[in-house]
Amino acid sequence: AQSVTQLGSHVSVSEGALVLLRCNYSSSVPPYLFWYVQYPNQGLQLLLKYTSAATLVKGINGFEAEFKKSETSFHLTKPSAHMSDAAEYFCAVSVRTGGFKTIFGAGTRLFVKA
Amino acid sequence: TAGITQAPTSQILAAGRSMTLRCTQDMRHNAMYWYRQDLGLGLRLIHYSNTAGTTGKGEVPDGYSVSRANTDDFPLTLASAVPSQTSVYFCASSPTQAYYGYTFGSGTRLTVV
C-alpha cells in the first residue's frame, strides 16, 4: 500500500529565503506524485506533478520539485519566498492498482515572515 | 470559468437531519471524488466515481452516500448527520482516474450541532 509523509506540519521562512517542504512516499509500484496548494477558505490547486518523465518538475508560482527514487522523496522548493506563498501545501501520491488510488499527506503550513 | 461548483458554501445542521451537498463540474471529467478535510488529518476520501453510473467507497464512507446519474453531477448525502461529520467537504474531479491530478471545488463547511 502507498503512503505519504510530509515532514513538519509548520514551516516558517523569511521573505526572500529558500522554501523547502519535504515529502516522502512509499509505494510498491511506480508512483505519480503531486503537490497542491491551499489558500485560506479555498480548495486545493495543483502546483505541479511528476508522471515518470523528467525528474525535476517545474510548477506554477516559481515552485519546483525533484523526484528522487533512491530516497523515495519529492521535496518542493522555491528559491525565494514571497508573502503570497503563505498557504498550506499538500503532497499526494497516486498509483495504478486496478484503478487509481490517491493518498494525500497531512499538509504543511508555510508561514512567510516579512 | 470552467471548474467545479459546490453548494452550499457553509451550513449548520442539526444532528439527525439529512442533507445533500451538491457538486457540479463543467469540464466533462470522467472521475469525481468527495473528500473531507479535518485539522491534522489532511484529506480523506469518502466516495468516488470513475465514470457516470458507477460509484465506490473510499477510506471513510460510513454515514455518507453518493450517486452519479450523469457526468456533471456528484451529490453527497448525509442521511442522519452526527457531530463527527462536522468538517470541510471538497468535491474534486479528474479527466481519467487521477493521472492528471485533480481539480477541486471551493468546499462546503458543515457544522453538525
Side-chain angles (χ1 to χ4, degrees):
Chain A
Q2 75 269 33
S3 64
V4 178
T5 301
Q6 292 186 237
L7 301 177
S9 58
H10 298 84
V11 170
S12 182
V13 300
S14 297
E15 192 173 21
L18 171 72
V19 175
L20 171 61
L21 305 181
R22 299 178 186 274
C23 174
N24 287 89
Y25 71 92
S26 172
S27 176
S28 57
V29 297
Y32 302 113
L33 296 161
F34 307 85
W35 276 100
Y36 291 85
V37 60
Q38 184 180 31
Y39 299 102
N41 299 313
Q42 295 185 25
L44 281 70
Q45 177 184 359
L46 183 65
L47 264 182
L48 51 78
K49 62 185 179 184
Y50 166 76
T51 57
S52 77
T55 56
L56 181 63
V57 181
K58 295 185 182 299
I60 62 172
N61 302 336
F63 284 94
E64 63 182 36
E66 185 172 8
F67 172 65
K68 292 187 176 180
K69 184 178 179 180
S70 62
E71 300 177 7
T72 61
S73 69
F74 190 58
H75 302 332
L76 182 70
T77 61
K78 182 173 181 178
S80 177
H82 294 187
M83 297 297 290
S84 60
D85 294 328
E88 188 148 22
Y89 293 80
F90 292 89
C91 183
V93 59
S94 181
V95 297
R96 184 189 292 274
T97 55
F100 275 96
K101 183 177 182 182
T102 298
I103 299 294
F104 286 84
T108 297
R109 183 164 295 278
L110 176 66
F111 297 93
V112 182
K113 300 173 293 184
Chain B
T1 303
I4 292 180
T5 301
Q6 289 186 240
T9 302
S10 65
Q11 182 74 45
I12 299 174
L13 184 68
R17 300 296 295 266
S18 66
M19 179 176 183
T20 296
L21 281 60
R22 300 186 297 279
C23 174
T24 299
Q25 55 112 349
D26 60 3
M27 298 170 286
R28 307 302 293 173
H29 284 175
N30 286 321
M32 297 187 75
Y33 313 86
W34 275 105
Y35 284 87
R36 59 178 290 173
Q37 184 179 31
D38 302 288
L39 191 64
L41 297 177
L43 283 89
R44 293 181 292 170
L45 181 65
I46 305 171
H47 284 286
Y48 65 93
S49 169
N50 289 332
T51 190
T54 69
T55 62
K57 294 182 179 180
E59 181 184 357
V60 288
D62 294 343
Y64 306 95
S65 64
V66 292
S67 62
R68 186 91 184 275
N70 57 60
T71 298
D72 298 342
D73 300 300
F74 192 43
L76 176 73
T77 297
L78 288 69
S80 179
V82 295
S84 62
Q85 293 177 309
T86 294
S87 187
V88 181
Y89 291 85
F90 287 100
C91 181
S93 71
S94 64
T96 57
Q97 297 170 29
Y99 173 85
Y100 296 95
Y102 293 172
T103 299
F104 281 85
S106 297
T108 294
R109 183 174 297 275
L110 178 65
T111 303
V112 181
V113 298

